């Protein structure tokens, strides 16, 4: 165990969030069981009022996970001094088998909480709260994720033994060895770039056409999800390389460092924002024909599509700018 | 969008005016809040700055030090080892170092005595650190007497006081020539305290270290990175411990915050009742309460951080002097280099604002859900 | 038109202190009319007004407001309807102390997200209408009873409601100010607002602006006394 202030902060805050989410889930179950919008009973009113609390808590959870995600990476990055062989977060996350799963869960929870808030937003605008039960059932999926994340994170920090010799981004994301990460790194640059720009183009095209006509929502959402994954792979495969101007350095974390003007934060926030709002369109699709939501969901979806397009455009613009003005030439 | 912003603005506006009206009621909580942030921020800034200082020192430290150990204790290393080390491939330079500690009974302090190779000094003069100068009241040109290993008193002339980038380490230093050093400690000419190694390729450090142990089994190589690591974990551990100790204070603060948020005054309850009655929605009152919490939190947070910054970087953490450093008498009176980064702020946020916000969310929601018709029966 | 069909409000349902405050009320209230609810203390006037005014939901029964069924709406939407449709004048004025008259008047409109400058203009206009504009920047604590009442009315009108609900508006006013209030209500009536008042003050229910008096007793409508203004009959009940 390493007794770093940021580690204590992360663990303590996670514990609090866990308590809150468990509390929400408990009342979520009560709402699912006892909800009857037609009833004028006091019981129904009590349940209705609970929903305000749960919305507020989930909003906090969403905001919390965004900061937590970055603080986690930042803290882990800081710890590289303590581990032989590690030079940035990539290596430190590997010191035991909890590091990467925790990171992944944090991202998943952030996206999930964002999608939940989108559904919540739409539902709260319909006078009969038509998807309230679905909504609170979804909350029951989020709860175990949050609890698992807290346990994994605690496990990760508790199982850290400072004398572990680890590998780092140099070897983890290098092209020589055969592991998943190194294979991502050694993906051929040109096809990757083509795939990246194609996915962005498709996303933006579908997004704008959805914004205009409100058609092909599912397709747009799936494209966003794929574009999100392709972008993550692209960061490892070639985007990071342009930032480092080192053909062999593929680390997705070093771009978060000061040396690169914290550009990583902008890239990831744009990407995460785009993913949440874009996938939000798809998540709302099954509900758009519910009578009380017909006037609400389409306009919400259009807004979301536009936001997603803007985020992805920002991401693409940042990347393209760097590729054009980088001193490194990967593709001649 | 514009409506949304106006709405936030209007509600924030009203929140501020309500807070202002009740400023004395909130003062106690705010004060505790500021103090807590101040305490935590001081600990974090201070240990971080110390780490930073240690890093600066170690930057100039040799990549590898070779010490000899006999029966598990450090022993003088024969100079003949130098050539043996030079023969190892990858080693570019080997230097000897002479250093030790001198206990000065008049000051009741330990000095670190060194005979650096790269500083030219004649056998009768010394350079001393600020701490030594201060405790012994010796300055440039004065004479300083030392008691040698054989009881003789040796006088040195102070040639200069050390200008220090980081006083943390140089404060207790006494630099002298090799000759002077040997006269003081009877280190015969065949031994050094330890040896330093330079290597051609830093990546090969660990390989070379194992070769050193192989060639000279009674030696022990120490890598700079290892030192850095030790420093890092020692400081992390200290600040972690300190945080652990104040966790009681955090908990007490949260209970206070919870209590304060649940036990609203009659006047406040009346106000929320009126707001609900005249058409404010529950979520709007929740929003108002959110802004209220944010305003209190962020101003307390900012104040606490600024105070901690002044405390650590301008007064050299005066409150912590006795507690956190083990340098006792020669405690360096230095200014730490100001250094804050986003992760420190985020850490503090997670330790104070996040728990505060979560502790108050349920009480404020409860306050926001009064029956709108209660206003008609007040 | 406001229609109530068999509306019932039970407090503390299924508990030992269960109490039926409104018990099966069916009513039709015309738009642009002034209706007065009258009855002994505890007869359910305030409760009934709060049900019509979207402040609370009936335990059972249906309320139609301007053609819309509001009984099964969640609180969030009730509030939305309430602040667009209703203006409330409370017995105790219920102004918020410590802030100015102007701020008090604008308060109901804050969450609607209107620009503050537009809002301010409207509030000042209303204060002007009720002759309290010179007090706009004083704190409400310093107002006289009559002034406070007029400020409360200005606040009720800030969102441009079509229905005014007043619960015992004259309870804290002397007869001169009560008559003044009746004149204000007359003005509102002329502006074609629907006005619902709960009162047992003869200055109100005997006034010529009243179109209909509903007599309540034990949460029920006292059929014999309901109908077009039955002034003479009401005099008899005044003693209760
Ligand atoms: N929240 C509540 N819980 C329990 N009982 C209540 C509640 N609100 C009102 N009541 C009861 O309902 C009954 C009707 O109250 P209401 O205020 O409607 O009477 P009212 O006709 O306005 O009387 P008054 O003329 O005194 O104002 C009263 O007996 C009251 O005690
Ligand atoms: Mg009443």
């Amino acid at each position: 165990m390493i007794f770093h202030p940021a580690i204590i902060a992360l663990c303590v805050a996670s514990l609090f969030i866990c308590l809150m989410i468990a509390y929400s889930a408990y009342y979520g179950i009560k709402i699912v069981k006892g909800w009857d919008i037609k009833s004028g009973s006091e019981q129904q009113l009590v349940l209705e009022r609970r929903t305000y609390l749960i919305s507020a808590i989930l909003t906090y959870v969403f905001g919390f996970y965004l900061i937590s995600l970055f603080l986690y990476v930042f803290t882990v990055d800081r710890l590289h001094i303590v581990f032989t062989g590690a030079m940035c977060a990539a290596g430190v996350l590997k010191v035991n088998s909890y590091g990467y799963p925790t990171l992944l869960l944090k991202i998943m929870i952030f996206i999930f909480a964002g999608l939940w808030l989108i559904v919540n937003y739409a539902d709260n605008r319909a006078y009969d709260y038509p998807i309230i039960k679905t909504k609170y059932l979804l909350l029951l999926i989020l709860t175990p994720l949050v609890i698992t994340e807290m346990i994994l994170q605690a496990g990760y920090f508790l199982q850290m033994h400072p004398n572990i010799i680890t590998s780092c981004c140099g070897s983890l994301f290098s092209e020589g060895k055969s592991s998943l990460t190194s294979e991502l790194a050694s993906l051929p640059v040109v096809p990757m770039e083509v795939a990246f720009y194609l996915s962005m183009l498709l996303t933006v095209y579908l997004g704008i056409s959805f914004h205009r006509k409100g058609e092909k929502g599912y397709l747009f959402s799936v494209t966003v999800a794929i574009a999100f994954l392709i972008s993550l792979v692209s960061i490892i495969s070639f985007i990071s390389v342009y930032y480092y101007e080192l053909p062999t350095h593929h680390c997705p974390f070093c771009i978060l460092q000061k040396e690169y003007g914290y550009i990583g934060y902008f890239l990831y926030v744009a990407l995460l924002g785009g993913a949440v709002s874009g996938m939000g369109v798809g998540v709302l699709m099954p509900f758009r024909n519910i009578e009380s939501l017909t006037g609400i969901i389409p306009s919400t979806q259009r807004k979301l599509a536009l936001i997603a397009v803007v985020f992805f455009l920002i991401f693409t613009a940042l990347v393209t700018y760097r590729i054009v003005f980088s001193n490194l030439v990967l593709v001649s | 969008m514009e409506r949304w912003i106006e709405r936030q603005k209007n509600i924030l506006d009203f929140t501020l005016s309500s807070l202002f009206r009740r400023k004395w009621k909130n003062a106690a909580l705010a004060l505790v809040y500021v103090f807590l942030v101040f305490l935590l921020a001081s600990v974090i800034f201070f240990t971080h700055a110390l780490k930073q200082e240690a890093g600066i020192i170690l930057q100039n430290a040799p990549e590898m030090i070779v010490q000899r150990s006999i029966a598990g204790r450090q022993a003088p290393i024969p100079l003949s080892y130098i050539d043996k080390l030079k023969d190892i491939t990858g080693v570019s330079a080997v230097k000897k170092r002479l250093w030790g500690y001198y206990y000065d009974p008049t000051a009741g302090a330990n000095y670190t005595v060194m005979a650096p190779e790269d500083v030219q000094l004649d056998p009768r003069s010394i350079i001393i650190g600020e701490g030594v100068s201060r405790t012994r009241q010796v300055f440039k040109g004065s004479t300083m007497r030392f008691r040698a290993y054989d009881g003789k008193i040796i006088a040195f002339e102070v040639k200069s006081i050390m200008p220090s980038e980081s006083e943390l380490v140089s404060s207790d230093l006494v630099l002298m020539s090799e000759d002077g050093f040997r006269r003081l400690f009877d280190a015969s000419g065949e031994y050094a305290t330890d040896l330093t190694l330079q290597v051609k390729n830093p990546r090969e450090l660990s390989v070379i270290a194992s070769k050193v142990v192989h060639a000279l089994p009674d030696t022990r190589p120490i890598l700079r990175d290892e030192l850095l690591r030790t420093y890092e974990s020692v400081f992390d551990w200290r600040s972690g411990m300190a945080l652990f100790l104040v966790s009681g204070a955090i908990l007490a603060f949260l209970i206070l915050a919870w209590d304060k948020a649940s036990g609203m005054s009659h006047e406040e309850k009346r106000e929320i009742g009126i707001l609900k009655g005249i058409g404010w929605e529950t979520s709007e009152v929740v929003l108002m309460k959110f802004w209220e919490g944010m305003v209190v939190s962020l101003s307390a947070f900012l104040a606490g951080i600024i105070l901690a910054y002044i405390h650590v970087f301008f007064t050299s953490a005066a409150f912590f002097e006795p507690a956190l450093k083990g340098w006792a008498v020669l405690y360096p009176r230095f200014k730490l280099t100001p250094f804050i980064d986003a992760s420190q702020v985020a850490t503090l946020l997670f330790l104070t604002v996040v728990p505060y916000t979560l502790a108050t969310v349920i009480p404020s929601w409860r306050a926001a859900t009064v029956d709108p018709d209660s206003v008609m029966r007040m | 038109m406001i229609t109530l069909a068999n509306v019932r409000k039970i407090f503390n349902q299924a508990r030992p202190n269960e109490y039926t405050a409104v018990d099966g009320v069916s009513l039709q209230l015309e738009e642009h009319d002034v209706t007065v609810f009258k009855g002994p203390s505890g007869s359910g006037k305030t409760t009934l007004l709060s049900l019509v005014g979207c402040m609370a939901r009936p335990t059972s029964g249906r309320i139609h407001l301007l053609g819309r069924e509001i009984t099964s709406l969640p609180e969030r939407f009730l509030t939305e309807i309430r602040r667009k449709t209703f203006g409330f004048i409370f017995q105790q004025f219920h102004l918020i102390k410590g802030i100015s008259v102007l701020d008090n008047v604008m308060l109901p409109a804050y969450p609607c997200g209107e620009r503050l400058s537009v809002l301010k203009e409207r509030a000042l206009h209303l204060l002007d209408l009720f002759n309290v504009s010179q007090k706009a920047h004083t704190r409400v604590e310093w107002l006289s009873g009559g002034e406070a009442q007029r400020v409360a009315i200005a606040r009720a009108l800030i969102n441009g409601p079509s229905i005014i609900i007043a619960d015992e508006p004259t309870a804290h006013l002397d007869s001169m100010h009560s008559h003044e209030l009746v004149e204000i209500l007359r003005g509102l009536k002329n502006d074609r607002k629907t006005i619902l008042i709960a009162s047992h003050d003869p200055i109100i229910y005997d006034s010529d602006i009243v179109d209909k008096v509903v007599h309540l007793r034990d949460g029920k409508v006292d059929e014999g006394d309901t109908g077009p203004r039955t002034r003479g009959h009401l005099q008899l009940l005044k003693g209760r």
Side-chain angles (χ1 to χ4, degrees):
Chain A
M1 167 81 193
I2 293 176
F3 231 178
H4 191 283
I7 292 179
I8 297 175
L10 278 167
C11 290
V12 166
S14 273
L15 186 68
F16 273 108
I17 287 287
C18 250
L19 291 177
M20 297 312 271
I21 205 97
Y23 178 94
S24 310
Y26 172 73
Y27 283 104
I29 295 173
K30 281 195 158 186
I31 290 171
V32 170
K33 279 190 180 164
W35 188 264
D36 176 15
I37 192 89
K38 292 268 179 289
S39 155
S41 72
E42 281 160 22
Q43 191 50 38
Q44 168 64 16
L45 192 64
V46 169
L47 291 182
E48 223 173 86
R49 288 182 179 170
R50 281 274 170 214
T51 65
Y52 288 95
L53 178 60
I54 297 178
S55 299
I57 290 177
L58 261 288
T59 314
Y60 287 138
V61 169
F62 179 69
F64 168 81
Y65 268 96
L66 183 63
I67 311 177
S68 154
L69 190 59
F70 288 120
L71 183 63
Y72 180 72
V73 173
F74 205 101
T75 309
V76 166
D77 187 77
R78 262 298 151 92
L79 291 175
H80 75 259
I81 303 172
V82 182
F83 294 96
T84 322
M87 279 149 86
C88 72
V92 182
L93 283 173
K94 264 204 76 127
V95 299
N96 61 46
S97 50
Y98 302 118
Y100 277 102
T102 306
L103 180 68
L104 231 70
L105 265 180
K106 277 187 193 290
I107 297 173
M108 272 169 63
I109 293 170
F110 172 77
I111 293 178
F112 199 106
L115 294 180
W116 192 90
L117 286 175
I118 288 173
V119 173
N120 186 45
Y121 174 89
D123 187 39
N124 278 350
R125 257 146 206 77
Y127 59 87
D128 55 351
Y129 292 165
I131 38 182
I132 190 139
K133 289 196 177 175
T134 322
K135 199 166 75 179
Y136 284 100
L137 284 173
L138 285 176
L139 188 63
L140 296 186
I141 300 176
L142 185 61
T143 314
L145 285 183
V146 171
I147 294 172
T148 314
E149 192 272 329
M150 179 196 73
I151 294 170
L152 284 186
Q153 177 176 274
Y156 173 59
F157 288 126
L158 283 173
Q159 299 286 311
M160 255 184 184
H161 302 299
N163 34 23
I164 290 174
I165 296 176
T166 177
S167 47
C168 195
C169 46
S171 54
L172 206 54
F173 296 101
S174 72
E175 295 154 20
K177 294 185 203 151
S178 65
S179 67
L180 178 66
T181 45
S182 55
E183 259 161 42
L184 294 181
S186 61
L187 286 172
V189 172
V190 181
M192 245 353 267
E193 287 191 2
V194 171
F196 171 72
Y197 278 104
L198 268 183
S199 68
M200 289 297 135
L201 201 70
L202 202 62
T203 305
V204 170
Y205 169 75
L206 286 172
I208 290 175
S209 88
F210 183 87
H211 180 67
R212 288 232 183 102
K213 295 181 228 144
E215 284 168 3
K216 301 205 185 77
Y218 281 119
L219 182 65
F220 170 64
S221 245
V222 170
T223 312
V224 165
I226 293 172
F228 176 63
L229 293 178
I230 289 184
S231 303
L232 289 181
V233 174
S234 300
I235 289 179
I236 297 173
S237 158
F238 68 91
I239 295 172
S240 58
V241 177
Y242 278 108
Y243 278 100
Y244 308 135
E245 305 191 326
L246 271 175
T248 53
H249 198 30
H250 289 278
C251 182
F253 302 110
C254 292
I255 40 172
L256 293 168
Q257 287 172 355
K258 196 177 166 188
E259 290 90 310
Y260 307 102
Y262 299 116
I263 187 72
Y265 290 97
F266 295 96
L267 289 175
Y268 286 118
V269 165
L271 209 49
L272 285 170
V276 169
S277 39
M279 291 192 235
V281 173
V283 169
L284 291 179
M285 285 302 281
F287 312 116
R288 73 191 186 294
N289 289 329
I290 294 174
E291 197 201 329
S292 56
L293 284 169
T294 47
I296 295 152
I297 285 191
S299 67
T300 309
Q301 281 179 317
R302 278 167 197 214
K303 265 186 238 159
L304 285 172
L306 193 66
I307 296 171
V309 165
V310 169
F311 272 129
F312 276 106
L313 280 179
I314 291 175
F315 182 75
T316 316
L318 285 174
V319 170
T320 310
Y321 176 86
R322 190 60 197 187
I323 291 179
V324 172
F325 290 97
S326 180
N327 293 320
L328 182 79
V329 183
L330 275 187
V331 188
S332 51
Chain B
M1 192 66 194
E2 196 189 332
R3 265 196 123 67
W4 186 85
I5 293 172
E6 284 301 324
R7 179 163 166 253
Q8 303 282 327
K9 243 171 59 185
N10 292 346
I11 291 178
L12 179 59
D13 206 52
F14 179 69
T15 308
L16 285 176
S17 94
S18 315
L19 268 178
F20 199 69
R21 265 181 295 142
R22 278 189 278 277
K23 51 182 178 288
W24 298 117
K25 291 222 165 130
N26 295 309
L29 181 78
L31 217 65
V32 177
Y33 206 152
V34 170
F35 180 70
L36 186 71
V37 175
F38 165 77
L39 207 65
L40 293 173
S42 292
V43 171
I44 287 176
F45 291 169
F46 186 59
T47 44
H48 202 97
L50 286 186
K51 242 179 358 192
Q52 204 76 354
E53 300 280 325
I56 294 172
I57 297 156
L58 286 175
Q59 238 163 34
N60 306 320
E63 285 159 324
M64 192 193 296
I65 297 168
V66 178
Q67 289 182 340
R68 183 178 177 215
S69 67
I70 296 174
R73 314 191 101 243
Q74 198 201 332
I77 191 165
L79 294 181
S80 57
Y81 279 22
I82 293 180
D83 288 331
K84 288 186 190 165
L85 289 175
K86 274 184 179 159
D87 287 345
I88 295 172
T89 41
V91 176
S92 60
V94 183
K95 279 185 184 164
K96 64 167 190 288
R97 291 202 313 186
L98 286 168
W99 60 273
Y101 299 112
Y102 176 87
Y103 179 70
D104 182 351
T106 42
N110 259 312
Y111 305 148
T112 306
V113 183
M114 283 181 95
E117 279 196 342
D118 47 356
V119 181
Q120 290 305 316
L121 278 168
D122 66 81
R124 301 222 156 261
S125 52
I126 52 173
I127 298 174
I128 58 173
E130 304 243 15
V132 180
S133 160
R134 199 165 50 227
T135 41
R136 282 289 296 265
Q137 289 297 308
V138 286
F139 305 98
K140 194 177 167 182
S142 16
T143 347
M144 205 174 156
R145 275 167 235 285
F146 288 85
R147 200 181 151 88
Y149 69 100
D150 51 3
K152 282 183 197 152
I153 304 294
I154 311 173
F156 289 97
E157 191 200 331
V158 177
K159 203 177 137 203
S160 63
I161 313 288
M162 201 155 359
S164 53
E165 180 182 3
S166 163
E167 213 190 315
L168 184 57
V169 166
S170 59
S171 168
D172 69 338
L173 264 188
V174 175
L175 301 183
M176 52 182 65
S177 68
E178 191 178 333
D179 231 37
F181 189 85
R182 294 199 191 284
R183 273 199 301 140
L184 192 61
F185 293 117
D186 180 37
S188 76
E190 288 150 37
Y191 292 97
T193 312
D194 52 27
L195 303 175
T196 66
L197 245 69
Q198 258 178 1
V199 298
K200 287 174 188 138
N201 182 356
R203 283 169 188 268
E204 287 176 2
L205 265 172
S206 47
V207 181
I208 291 172
S210 62
K211 282 185 188 165
V212 169
V213 181
H214 191 71
L216 302 166
D218 61 342
T219 58
R220 187 177 60 145
I222 299 167
L223 303 182
R224 180 178 59 193
D225 285 358
E226 241 165 53
L227 280 179
L228 211 61
R229 211 166 297 148
T230 313
Y231 262 105
E232 185 83 10
S233 33
V234 163
F235 284 128
D236 283 350
W237 197 81
R238 278 190 177 184
S239 57
M241 261 336 263
L243 288 191
F244 201 70
L245 293 178
V246 292
S247 64
I250 300 182
L251 207 65
F253 166 70
L254 291 183
I255 292 170
L256 179 72
W258 170 288
D259 187 61
K260 191 89 178 51
S262 353
M264 281 192 311
S265 67
H266 176 74
E267 191 57 30
E268 251 174 301
K269 278 189 189 147
R270 195 184 92 103
E271 258 184 50
I272 291 180
I274 294 175
L275 289 179
K276 293 283 298 263
I278 60 174
W280 282 43
E281 216 265 311
T282 306
S283 61
E284 283 145 8
V285 182
V286 170
L287 186 66
M288 180 183 98
K289 283 274 161 194
F290 162 81
W291 279 124
E292 199 178 290
M294 275 296 130
V295 170
V296 171
S297 273
L298 292 184
S299 32
F301 192 71
L302 212 66
I305 279 195
I306 291 171
L307 286 177
Y309 190 93
I310 295 171
H311 172 225
V312 171
F313 298 116
F314 293 117
T315 72
S316 301
F319 291 156
F320 293 165
E321 256 188 53
L324 270 175
K325 284 197 214 169
W327 274 273
V329 182
L330 287 182
Y331 182 80
R333 204 130 296 142
F334 59 95
K335 291 242 187 313
L336 292 161
T337 327
F339 181 84
I340 298 190
D341 67 19
S343 78
Q344 288 176 305
V345 176
T347 301
L348 284 169
L349 220 63
F350 268 40
L351 286 172
T352 54
V353 175
V354 169
Y356 173 82
T357 311
L358 293 178
T360 50
V361 61
I362 294 179
S364 17
W365 161 79
R366 228 181 269 284
T369 46
V370 294
D371 290 314
D373 60 345
S374 70
V375 70
M376 296 177 101
R377 304 184 197 282
M378 284 195 298
Chain C
M1 193 163 71
I2 304 167
T3 324
L4 288 83
N6 204 17
V7 170
R8 187 168 270 117
K9 177 72 180 177
I10 306 172
F11 289 111
N12 308 317
Q13 198 170 18
R15 263 179 285 174
N17 56 346
E18 181 175 297
Y19 187 84
T20 309
V22 173
D23 193 4
V25 170
S26 299
L27 270 178
Q28 277 208 11
L29 306 172
E30 301 300 326
E31 267 175 88
H32 318 305
D33 270 10
V34 176
T35 308
V36 173
F37 294 90
K38 182 170 177 298
S41 180
S43 58
K45 303 184 291 291
T46 302
T47 309
L48 193 63
L49 281 188
S50 76
L51 293 177
V52 174
C54 295
M55 278 190 166
R57 268 194 317 222
T59 311
S60 66
R62 297 258 166 270
I63 300 175
H64 287 262
L65 175 71
L66 311 175
R68 187 168 182 195
E69 214 266 316
I70 56 165
T71 348
S72 60
L73 285 182
E75 248 188 352
R76 174 176 273 118
F77 299 92
L78 282 182
T79 310
E80 212 172 294
I81 293 173
R82 175 151 58 93
R83 69 174 167 220
K84 278 184 199 150
T85 321
F86 294 97
F88 290 90
I89 302 165
F90 308 111
Q91 181 174 349
Q92 310 262 14
F93 315 141
H94 287 319
L95 298 171
I96 288 184
K97 292 189 190 115
I99 59 177
S100 72
V101 165
L102 186 64
D103 285 337
N104 260 292
V105 174
M106 297 194 300
L107 211 47
Y110 276 170
C112 301
E114 245 176 313
R115 195 176 280 283
L116 214 58
S117 53
V118 180
L119 205 56
K120 204 168 258 177
E121 211 167 300
R122 206 165 66 226
L124 281 172
H125 176 74
L126 279 170
L127 286 174
D128 204 30
L129 213 65
F130 297 118
N131 281 323
V132 271
S133 54
Q134 71 283 1
K135 301 271 178 186
H137 298 286
T138 32
R139 297 224 241 143
V140 291
E141 293 94 300
W142 314 128
L143 296 180
S144 72
E147 284 166 343
Q149 176 70 285
R150 279 175 280 153
V151 171
I153 296 171
R155 182 179 66 181
L157 296 175
I158 187 78
N159 281 336
S162 58
I163 306 172
I164 307 291
I165 291 187
D167 189 20
E168 317 272 2
T170 55
H172 288 265
L173 298 177
D174 57 25
S175 64
M176 188 189 84
H177 284 119
S178 298
H179 284 293
E180 200 179 286
L181 180 83
V182 171
E183 290 318 304
I184 290 176
L185 291 177
R186 188 191 306 282
L188 293 175
K189 187 184 180 184
N190 291 341
D191 285 346
R192 307 198 44 77
K193 306 238 184 250
T194 310
I195 300 173
L196 310 178
I197 310 169
S199 179
H200 39 227
D201 182 351
I203 297 177
I204 297 286
Y205 62 70
D206 283 348
S207 132
D208 59 339
I209 60 165
V210 176
D211 300 296
K212 178 174 178 172
V213 174
V214 177
H215 196 99
L216 288 177
R217 183 179 293 152
D218 295 335
K220 293 194 175 81
V221 178
D222 203 335
E223 293 295 342
D225 293 320
T226 309
R229 292 170 47 220
T230 46
R231 199 181 303 199
H233 195 83
L234 288 168
Q235 292 294 339
L236 287 172
L237 293 162
K238 237 175 86 179
R240 292 203 192 189

